Amino acid sequence: MTTPRPAILIARAVFPEVEHKLRQHFEVESTPPGVFWSPAQLAEKLQGKTGAMTTGGERVDAALLAACPQLKIAANIAVGYNNFDLPAMTAAGVLGTNTPDVLTETTADFGFALLMATARRVSESEHFLRAGQWKEWSLDLFAGVEVHGSTLGILGMGRIGQAIARRGAHGFGMNVIYHNRSRLDADKEAACKARYVSKDELFAQADHVVLVLPYTPTAYHTVGAAEIARMKPSATLINIARGGIVDEDALVAALRERRIAAAGLDVFEGEPQVNPGLLSVPNVVLTPHIASATIPTRTAMAMLAADNLIAYLTEGRALTPLNPQVIAP
Ligand code: 8YV
């Protein structure tokens, strides 16, 4: 008698080649494109499954774990894992994995794209043009703020923060400052030409503040009215980390009153819902959480999540475990 193959759920539609790979190892239930499960539906779909391939949109918390006692692994297609209650997963003996490294450069490219679009008013001016409002050219038409040679302040100096720093320092001759939980070693600081400063100094000195820190419970509203008040009136704020890091109401007020020049946001506290205040101010560039969205990178992320599922459910090991103590208690 052959042992039955493990059953897994792909909780959100993935590329055909990823599903094909998984079907070589598992009984796979996939999710059609455009279908998104509520927490109750997700728990129902996971009945009898030992593995789940998730995205940032699926929460794996104590309630889900209690409803799905057979679950052994949740493989997130994301480097961030704030949708996982990791202590609860560890307590339930469920492994969590993420997708570091494969998205670093692509996400840094987008961070820079958003910075450029925000500083140089790309979206705002395009809306103006499309609305047929362009009648005359003038010297100050959509005059923005400088990028090259300006001061780039990076909050959160992990892999993506360093990749953004390299672009700023080497590509745009920017003066790079950063703040992080721990200071980088001298070699890494030299590679990014970055100088460590306090959080207060970062907000006060930067012409462009870029947020790339992980979203832990203590990071909630790291950027609130007080931090925004420290920023220069000509400064921009770019968020490609997680929406909850910024107090969006405080940001809307600052943008409306032009206390800072502009903001570029790829992430939102209640996404996919967007704070209506943000939709009502012109000096903000808004994108729907697409910083890692190129086909090669999203494929690499999904393949890494697939490889984690295969490695763990067939060989008891994982490539990028978040709570390795589940594997080797
Ligand atoms: C993901 C992200 O695409 O990796 C992350 O943490 O924010 C994005 O790259 C998104 O979270 C979907 O899972």
Side-chain angles (χ1 to χ4, degrees):
M1 236 180 71
T2 50
T3 341
R5 301 194 316 163
I8 66 152
L9 174 73
I10 302 175
R12 209 171 276 215
V14 291
F15 303 115
E17 61 268 40
V18 180
E19 188 169 331
H20 175 76
K21 184 173 194 174
L22 289 167
R23 284 195 186 279
Q24 291 172 344
H25 300 270
F26 305 123
E27 296 306 318
V28 175
E29 180 171 352
S30 56
T31 299
V35 172
F36 311 99
W37 307 121
S38 68
Q41 288 169 325
L42 182 63
E44 198 195 313
K45 288 276 161 196
L46 280 172
Q47 292 311 303
K49 311 285 195 308
T50 49
M53 182 180 256
T54 57
T55 71
E58 286 80 40
R59 262 202 80 66
V60 179
D61 55 14
L64 185 93
L65 295 166
C68 308
Q70 277 164 295
L71 193 66
K72 290 196 166 75
I73 171 173
N76 222 22
I77 311 176
V79 65
Y81 51 90
N82 54 296
N83 58 313
F84 285 176
D85 181 340
L86 212 53
M89 290 172 72
T90 306
V94 174
L95 181 71
T97 64
N98 69 339
T99 60
D101 299 318
V102 291
L103 47 54
T104 300
E105 299 298 329
T106 299
T107 304
D109 285 348
F110 187 85
F112 233 88
L114 196 53
L115 190 162
M116 296 288 286
T118 303
R120 299 303 308 274
R121 306 176 67 180
V122 173
S123 304
E124 199 184 345
S125 62
E126 187 187 351
H127 290 142
F128 166 88
L129 183 151
R130 283 179 183 274
Q133 291 174 313
W134 189 23
K135 305 294 178 208
E136 293 294 345
W137 184 91
S138 62
L139 269 181
D140 62 350
L141 185 64
F142 288 102
V145 290
E146 217 66 89
V147 175
H148 75 275
S150 65
T151 296
L152 172 61
I154 302 176
L155 190 58
M157 199 62 155
R159 286 164 285 220
I160 298 171
Q162 291 173 48
I164 291 172
R166 288 195 299 272
R167 280 160 178 73
H170 301 297
F172 289 81
M174 293 169 97
N175 164 37
V176 181
I177 55 177
Y178 77 97
H179 183 75
N180 197 43
R181 273 170 305 184
S182 50
R183 190 171 167 174
L184 298 183
D185 62 38
D187 288 356
K188 283 188 176 152
E189 280 190 356
C192 321
K193 288 196 185 173
R195 187 166 56 86
Y196 184 81
V197 294
S198 71
K199 190 179 147 203
D200 283 358
E201 283 173 304
L202 184 123
F203 281 94
Q205 292 175 16
D207 295 306
H208 306 285
V209 174
V210 181
L211 308 177
V212 215
L213 58 159
Y215 190 33
T216 57
T218 53
Y220 178 73
H221 287 193
T222 295
V223 183
E227 287 72 24
I228 294 170
R230 276 189 197 100
M231 293 174 70
K232 300 176 185 177
S234 55
T236 74
L237 177 70
I238 310 300
N239 189 6
I240 57 166
R242 286 293 181 268
I245 292 171
V246 175
D247 177 344
E248 290 173 347
D249 289 333
L251 177 61
V252 168
L255 289 168
R256 188 167 285 140
E257 294 156 22
R258 305 269 168 180
R259 283 188 271 116
I260 64 170
L265 308 175
D266 185 50
V267 286
F268 304 90
E269 190 166 345
E271 62 183 57
Q273 263 75 54
V274 177
N275 183 323
L278 288 170
L279 299 172
S280 73
V281 284
N283 46 343
V284 59
V285 181
L286 307 168
T287 52
H289 203 147
I290 57 167
S292 64
T294 64
I295 298 292
T297 293
R298 285 278 166 87
T299 303
M301 291 163 69
M303 282 295 188
L304 178 52
D307 288 341
N308 271 308
L309 284 164
I310 294 164
Y312 192 55
L313 293 178
T314 68
E315 296 173 23
R317 61 185 185 88
L319 285 82
T320 48
L322 293 167
N323 50 351
Q325 60 273 43
V326 168
I327 308 177

Coordinates of all heavy atoms in Angstrom, one line a residue, residues 71-139:
L71 N -2.8 21.1 10.4 CA -1.8 22.0 9.7 C -0.4 21.8 10.3 O -0.3 21.8 11.5 CB -2.3 23.4 9.8 CG -1.6 24.4 8.8 CD1 -1.9 24.1 7.4 CD2 -2.0 25.8 9.2
K72 N 0.6 21.7 9.4 CA 1.9 21.6 9.8 C 2.8 22.7 9.4 O 3.8 23.0 10.0 CB 2.6 20.3 9.3 CG 2.0 19.0 9.9 CD 3.0 17.9 9.5 CE 2.8 16.6 10.3 NZ 1.6 15.9 9.9
I73 N 2.4 23.4 8.3 CA 3.3 24.4 7.7 C 2.4 25.5 7.0 O 1.5 25.1 6.3 CB 4.4 23.9 6.8 CG1 5.1 25.1 6.0 CG2 3.9 22.9 5.8 CD1 6.3 24.7 5.2
A74 N 2.7 26.7 7.2 CA 2.2 27.8 6.3 C 3.4 28.5 5.7 O 4.3 29.0 6.3 CB 1.4 28.8 7.2
A75 N 3.4 28.4 4.3 CA 4.5 29.0 3.6 C 4.0 30.3 3.0 O 3.2 30.3 2.0 CB 5.0 28.1 2.5
N76 N 4.5 31.4 3.5 CA 4.0 32.8 3.0 C 4.8 33.2 1.8 O 6.0 33.1 1.7 CB 4.4 33.8 4.1 CG 3.3 34.8 4.4 OD1 2.1 34.5 4.1 ND2 3.6 35.9 5.0
I77 N 4.0 33.7 0.8 CA 4.7 34.3 -0.4 C 4.9 35.8 -0.1 O 4.2 36.6 -0.6 CB 3.8 34.1 -1.7 CG1 3.3 32.7 -1.8 CG2 4.6 34.5 -2.9 CD1 2.3 32.5 -3.0
A78 N 5.8 36.0 0.8 CA 6.2 37.4 1.2 C 7.3 37.3 2.1 O 7.5 36.3 2.8 CB 5.0 38.1 1.9
V79 N 8.1 38.4 2.2 CA 9.2 38.4 3.2 C 8.6 38.8 4.5 O 9.0 38.3 5.5 CB 10.4 39.3 2.7 CG1 10.0 40.8 2.6 CG2 11.6 39.1 3.6
G80 N 7.7 39.8 4.5 CA 7.0 40.2 5.7 C 6.1 39.1 6.2 O 5.5 38.4 5.3
Y81 N 5.9 39.0 7.5 CA 5.0 37.9 8.0 C 4.2 38.4 9.2 O 3.9 37.6 10.1 CB 5.8 36.6 8.3 CG 7.0 36.9 9.2 CD1 6.9 36.8 10.6 CD2 8.3 37.2 8.7 CE1 8.0 37.1 11.4 CE2 9.4 37.5 9.5 CZ 9.2 37.4 10.9 OH 10.3 37.6 11.7
N82 N 3.7 39.6 9.1 CA 2.9 40.1 10.1 C 1.5 39.5 10.1 O 0.7 39.7 11.0 CB 2.8 41.7 10.0 CG 2.4 42.1 8.7 OD1 3.1 41.9 7.7 ND2 1.2 42.7 8.6
N83 N 1.2 38.8 9.0 CA -0.1 38.0 9.0 C 0.0 36.7 9.8 O -1.0 36.0 9.9 CB -0.5 37.7 7.5 CG 0.6 36.9 6.8 OD1 1.8 37.3 6.8 ND2 0.2 35.9 6.1
F84 N 1.2 36.4 10.2 CA 1.4 35.2 11.1 C 1.5 35.6 12.5 O 2.2 36.5 12.9 CB 2.7 34.5 10.7 CG 2.8 33.7 9.4 CD1 4.0 33.1 9.0 CD2 1.7 33.5 8.6 CE1 4.1 32.4 7.8 CE2 1.7 32.8 7.4 CZ 3.0 32.3 7.0
D85 N 0.8 34.8 13.4 CA 1.0 34.9 14.8 C 2.0 33.9 15.1 O 1.7 32.7 15.4 CB -0.3 34.7 15.6 CG -0.1 34.8 17.1 OD1 1.1 34.7 17.6 OD2 -1.1 35.0 17.8
L86 N 3.3 34.3 15.0 CA 4.4 33.3 15.1 C 4.4 32.5 16.4 O 4.6 31.3 16.4 CB 5.7 33.9 14.7 CG 6.8 33.1 14.0 CD1 6.2 32.4 12.8 CD2 8.0 33.9 13.7
P87 N 4.3 33.3 17.6 CA 4.3 32.5 18.8 C 3.2 31.5 18.9 O 3.4 30.3 19.3 CB 4.1 33.6 19.9 CG 4.6 34.8 19.2 CD 4.3 34.7 17.8
A88 N 2.0 31.8 18.4 CA 0.9 30.9 18.4 C 1.2 29.7 17.4 O 0.9 28.5 17.8 CB -0.4 31.5 17.9
M89 N 1.9 30.0 16.3 CA 2.2 28.9 15.4 C 3.2 28.0 16.1 O 3.1 26.7 16.0 CB 2.8 29.5 14.1 CG 1.7 30.1 13.2 SD 2.4 31.0 11.8 CE 2.9 29.7 10.7
T90 N 4.2 28.6 16.7 CA 5.2 27.7 17.4 C 4.6 26.9 18.5 O 4.9 25.7 18.6 CB 6.3 28.7 18.0 OG1 6.8 29.5 16.9 CG2 7.5 27.8 18.6
A91 N 3.7 27.5 19.2 CA 3.0 26.7 20.3 C 2.2 25.6 19.7 O 2.1 24.5 20.3 CB 2.1 27.7 21.1
A92 N 1.7 25.8 18.5 CA 0.9 24.7 17.9 C 1.7 23.8 17.1 O 1.2 22.8 16.5 CB -0.2 25.4 17.0
G93 N 3.0 24.0 17.1 CA 3.9 23.1 16.3 C 3.8 23.3 14.8 O 4.1 22.4 14.0
V94 N 3.4 24.5 14.4 CA 3.2 24.8 12.9 C 4.4 25.7 12.4 O 4.7 26.7 13.0 CB 1.9 25.5 12.7 CG1 1.8 25.9 11.2 CG2 0.7 24.6 13.1
L95 N 5.1 25.2 11.4 CA 6.2 25.9 10.9 C 5.7 27.1 10.0 O 4.7 26.9 9.2 CB 7.1 25.0 10.0 CG 8.3 25.6 9.4 CD1 9.4 26.0 10.5 CD2 8.9 24.7 8.3
G96 N 6.3 28.2 10.1 CA 6.1 29.3 9.2 C 7.3 29.6 8.3 O 8.5 29.5 8.9
T97 N 7.2 29.9 7.1 CA 8.3 30.2 6.2 C 8.0 31.5 5.5 O 6.8 31.8 5.3 CB 8.7 29.1 5.2 OG1 7.6 28.9 4.3 CG2 9.0 27.8 5.9
N98 N 9.0 32.2 5.0 CA 8.8 33.5 4.2 C 9.7 33.4 3.0 O 10.3 32.4 2.7 CB 9.0 34.7 5.1 CG 10.5 34.9 5.5 OD1 11.3 33.9 5.5 ND2 10.9 36.1 5.9
T99 N 9.8 34.5 2.3 CA 10.6 34.5 1.0 C 11.6 35.7 1.0 O 11.4 36.7 0.2 CB 9.6 34.6 -0.2 OG1 8.9 35.9 -0.1 CG2 8.7 33.5 -0.3
P100 N 12.6 35.6 1.8 CA 13.6 36.7 1.8 C 14.5 36.6 0.6 O 14.5 35.6 -0.2 CB 14.4 36.4 3.1 CG 14.3 34.9 3.3 CD 12.9 34.6 2.8
D101 N 15.3 37.6 0.4 CA 16.3 37.7 -0.7 C 15.8 37.8 -2.1 O 16.2 38.7 -2.8 CB 17.3 36.6 -0.6 CG 18.0 36.5 0.8 OD1 18.4 37.6 1.2 OD2 18.2 35.5 1.4
V102 N 14.9 36.9 -2.5 CA 14.5 36.9 -3.9 C 13.8 38.2 -4.4 O 13.7 38.4 -5.6 CB 13.6 35.7 -4.2 CG1 14.4 34.4 -4.1 CG2 12.4 35.6 -3.3
L103 N 13.3 39.0 -3.4 CA 12.6 40.2 -3.8 C 13.4 41.5 -3.5 O 12.9 42.6 -3.8 CB 11.2 40.2 -3.2 CG 11.1 39.9 -1.7 CD1 11.9 40.8 -0.8 CD2 9.6 40.0 -1.3
T104 N 14.6 41.3 -3.0 CA 15.3 42.5 -2.4 C 15.5 43.6 -3.5 O 15.1 44.8 -3.3 CB 16.6 42.1 -1.8 OG1 16.4 41.2 -0.8 CG2 17.4 43.3 -1.3
E105 N 16.1 43.2 -4.6 CA 16.5 44.3 -5.6 C 15.2 44.8 -6.3 O 15.1 46.1 -6.5 CB 17.4 43.7 -6.6 CG 18.8 43.2 -6.0 CD 19.6 44.3 -5.3 OE1 19.5 45.5 -5.7 OE2 20.3 44.0 -4.3
T106 N 14.2 44.0 -6.6 CA 13.0 44.4 -7.3 C 12.3 45.4 -6.4 O 11.7 46.4 -6.8 CB 12.1 43.2 -7.6 OG1 12.9 42.4 -8.5 CG2 10.8 43.6 -8.2
T107 N 12.2 45.1 -5.1 CA 11.5 45.9 -4.1 C 12.2 47.3 -4.0 O 11.6 48.3 -3.9 CB 11.3 45.2 -2.8 OG1 10.6 44.0 -3.1 CG2 10.5 46.0 -1.8
A108 N 13.5 47.2 -3.9 CA 14.3 48.5 -3.9 C 14.1 49.3 -5.1 O 14.0 50.5 -5.0 CB 15.8 48.1 -3.7
D109 N 14.0 48.7 -6.3 CA 13.8 49.4 -7.5 C 12.5 50.2 -7.4 O 12.4 51.4 -7.7 CB 13.6 48.5 -8.7 CG 14.9 47.9 -9.2 OD1 16.0 48.4 -8.8 OD2 14.8 46.9 -10.0
F110 N 11.5 49.5 -6.8 CA 10.1 50.2 -6.7 C 10.2 51.3 -5.7 O 9.6 52.3 -5.8 CB 9.1 49.1 -6.3 CG 7.7 49.8 -6.4 CD1 7.0 49.9 -7.6 CD2 7.1 50.3 -5.2 CE1 5.8 50.5 -7.6 CE2 5.9 51.0 -5.3 CZ 5.2 51.1 -6.5
G111 N 10.9 51.0 -4.6 CA 11.1 52.1 -3.6 C 11.6 53.4 -4.2 O 11.1 54.5 -4.0
F112 N 12.6 53.2 -5.1 CA 13.1 54.3 -5.8 C 12.1 54.9 -6.8 O 12.0 56.1 -6.9 CB 14.5 54.0 -6.5 CG 15.5 54.9 -6.1 CD1 16.3 54.7 -4.9 CD2 15.7 56.1 -6.7 CE1 17.2 55.7 -4.5 CE2 16.6 57.1 -6.3 CZ 17.3 56.8 -5.2
A113 N 11.4 54.1 -7.5 CA 10.4 54.5 -8.4 C 9.4 55.4 -7.7 O 9.0 56.5 -8.2 CB 9.7 53.4 -9.1
L114 N 9.0 55.0 -6.6 CA 7.9 55.7 -5.8 C 8.5 57.0 -5.3 O 7.9 58.1 -5.3 CB 7.4 54.8 -4.6 CG 6.2 55.2 -4.0 CD1 5.0 55.4 -4.9 CD2 5.8 54.1 -2.9
L115 N 9.8 57.0 -4.9 CA 10.4 58.2 -4.4 C 10.5 59.2 -5.6 O 10.2 60.4 -5.4 CB 11.9 57.8 -3.9 CG 12.7 58.9 -3.2 CD1 13.8 58.2 -2.4 CD2 13.3 60.0 -4.1
M116 N 10.9 58.7 -6.7 CA 11.0 59.6 -7.9 C 9.7 60.2 -8.3 O 9.5 61.4 -8.5 CB 11.6 58.9 -9.1 CG 13.0 58.3 -8.9 SD 14.2 59.6 -8.9 CE 14.3 60.0 -10.7
A117 N 8.7 59.3 -8.3 CA 7.3 59.8 -8.7 C 6.8 60.8 -7.7 O 6.1 61.8 -8.1 CB 6.4 58.6 -8.8
T118 N 7.1 60.6 -6.5 CA 6.6 61.5 -5.4 C 7.3 62.8 -5.5 O 6.7 63.9 -5.5 CB 6.8 60.8 -4.0 OG1 6.1 59.6 -4.0 CG2 6.3 61.7 -2.9
A119 N 8.7 62.8 -5.6 CA 9.4 64.0 -5.5 C 9.2 64.9 -6.8 O 9.1 66.1 -6.7 CB 10.9 63.7 -5.5
R120 N 9.0 64.2 -7.9 CA 8.9 64.9 -9.2 C 7.4 65.0 -9.7 O 7.1 65.4 -10.8 CB 9.8 64.2 -10.3 CG 11.3 64.3 -9.9 CD 11.8 65.7 -9.6 NE 11.5 66.5 -10.8 CZ 12.2 66.6 -11.9 NH1 13.3 66.0 -11.9 NH2 11.8 67.4 -12.9
R121 N 6.5 64.6 -8.8 CA 5.0 64.9 -9.0 C 4.5 64.2 -10.3 O 3.7 64.7 -11.0 CB 4.8 66.4 -9.0 CG 5.3 67.0 -7.7 CD 5.1 68.5 -7.7 NE 3.7 68.9 -7.6 CZ 3.3 70.2 -7.6 NH1 4.2 71.1 -7.6 NH2 2.1 70.5 -7.5
V122 N 5.0 63.0 -10.5 CA 4.6 62.3 -11.8 C 3.1 62.0 -11.9 O 2.5 62.3 -12.9 CB 5.5 61.0 -11.9 CG1 5.0 60.1 -13.1 CG2 7.0 61.3 -12.1
S123 N 2.6 61.4 -10.8 CA 1.1 61.0 -10.9 C 0.2 62.3 -10.9 O -0.7 62.3 -11.7 CB 0.7 60.2 -9.6 OG 1.5 59.1 -9.5
E124 N 0.6 63.2 -10.1 CA -0.2 64.4 -10.0 C -0.3 65.1 -11.3 O -1.4 65.6 -11.8 CB 0.4 65.3 -8.9 CG -0.5 66.4 -8.3 CD 0.3 67.3 -7.4 OE1 1.4 66.9 -7.0 OE2 -0.2 68.4 -7.1
S125 N 0.9 65.2 -12.0 CA 0.9 66.0 -13.3 C 0.2 65.1 -14.4 O -0.4 65.7 -15.3 CB 2.3 66.3 -13.7 OG 3.1 65.1 -13.8
E126 N 0.3 63.8 -14.3 CA -0.4 63.0 -15.3 C -1.9 63.1 -15.2 O -2.6 63.2 -16.2 CB 0.1 61.5 -15.2 CG -0.5 60.7 -16.4 CD -0.3 59.2 -16.3 OE1 0.4 58.8 -15.4 OE2 -1.0 58.6 -17.1
H127 N -2.4 63.1 -13.9 CA -3.8 63.3 -13.7 C -4.3 64.6 -14.3 O -5.3 64.7 -15.0 CB -4.2 63.2 -12.3 CG -4.1 61.9 -11.7 ND1 -3.6 61.6 -10.4 CD2 -4.3 60.7 -12.2 CE1 -3.6 60.3 -10.2 NE2 -4.0 59.7 -11.3
F128 N -3.5 65.7 -14.1 CA -3.8 67.0 -14.6 C -3.9 67.0 -16.2 O -4.8 67.5 -16.8 CB -2.6 67.9 -14.1 CG -2.5 69.3 -14.7 CD1 -3.2 70.4 -14.2 CD2 -1.6 69.5 -15.8 CE1 -3.0 71.6 -14.8 CE2 -1.5 70.7 -16.4 CZ -2.2 71.8 -15.8
L129 N -2.9 66.3 -16.8 CA -2.8 66.2 -18.2 C -4.0 65.5 -18.8 O -4.7 65.9 -19.7 CB -1.5 65.6 -18.6 CG -1.2 65.5 -20.1 CD1 0.3 65.5 -20.4 CD2 -1.8 64.2 -20.7
R130 N -4.3 64.3 -18.2 CA -5.4 63.4 -18.6 C -6.8 64.2 -18.5 O -7.7 63.9 -19.3 CB -5.5 62.1 -17.8 CG -4.4 61.1 -18.2 CD -4.6 59.9 -17.3 NE -3.5 58.9 -17.6 CZ -3.6 58.0 -18.5 NH1 -4.7 57.9 -19.3 NH2 -2.7 57.1 -18.7
A131 N -6.8 65.0 -17.5 CA -8.1 65.7 -17.2 C -8.3 66.9 -18.2 O -9.2 67.7 -18.1 CB -8.2 66.2 -15.8
G132 N -7.3 67.1 -19.1 CA -7.4 68.2 -20.1 C -7.2 69.5 -19.5 O -7.6 70.6 -20.1
Q133 N -6.4 69.6 -18.4 CA -6.2 70.9 -17.7 C -5.0 71.6 -18.2 O -4.7 72.7 -17.8 CB -6.1 70.7 -16.2 CG -7.5 70.3 -15.6 CD -7.3 69.9 -14.1 OE1 -6.4 69.2 -13.7 NE2 -8.2 70.5 -13.3
W134 N -4.1 70.9 -19.1 CA -2.9 71.5 -19.5 C -3.2 72.5 -20.6 O -3.4 72.1 -21.8 CB -1.9 70.5 -19.9 CG -0.5 71.0 -20.2 CD1 0.0 72.1 -19.7 CD2 0.5 70.3 -21.0 NE1 1.3 72.2 -20.2 CE2 1.6 71.1 -21.0 CE3 0.5 69.2 -21.8 CZ2 2.8 70.8 -21.7 CZ3 1.7 68.8 -22.4 CH2 2.8 69.7 -22.4
K135 N -3.1 73.8 -20.3 CA -3.4 74.8 -21.4 C -2.1 75.6 -21.7 O -2.0 76.0 -22.9 CB -4.4 75.8 -20.8 CG -5.8 75.2 -20.4 CD -6.6 74.5 -21.5 CE -7.8 73.9 -20.9 NZ -8.3 72.8 -21.7
E136 N -1.3 75.8 -20.8 CA -0.1 76.6 -21.0 C 1.1 75.9 -20.2 O 0.9 75.3 -19.2 CB -0.2 78.0 -20.5 CG -1.3 78.9 -21.2 CD -0.8 79.2 -22.6 OE1 0.3 79.0 -23.0 OE2 -1.7 79.6 -23.4
W137 N 2.3 76.2 -20.7 CA 3.5 75.7 -20.0 C 4.0 76.9 -19.2 O 3.9 78.0 -19.6 CB 4.6 75.3 -21.0 CG 5.8 74.7 -20.3 CD1 6.0 73.4 -20.1 CD2 6.9 75.4 -19.9 NE1 7.2 73.3 -19.5 CE2 7.8 74.5 -19.4 CE3 7.3 76.8 -19.9 CZ2 9.1 74.9 -18.8 CZ3 8.5 77.2 -19.4 CH2 9.4 76.2 -18.8
S138 N 4.4 76.7 -17.9 CA 5.0 77.7 -17.1 C 6.2 77.2 -16.4 O 6.3 76.0 -16.2 CB 3.9 78.3 -16.2 OG 3.5 77.3 -15.3
L139 N 7.0 78.1 -16.0 CA 8.3 77.7 -15.3 C 8.1 76.9 -14.1 O 8.9 76.0 -13.8 CB 9.1 79.0 -14.9 CG 10.1 79.6 -15.9 CD1 10.7 80.8 -15.3 CD2 11.1 78.5 -16.3

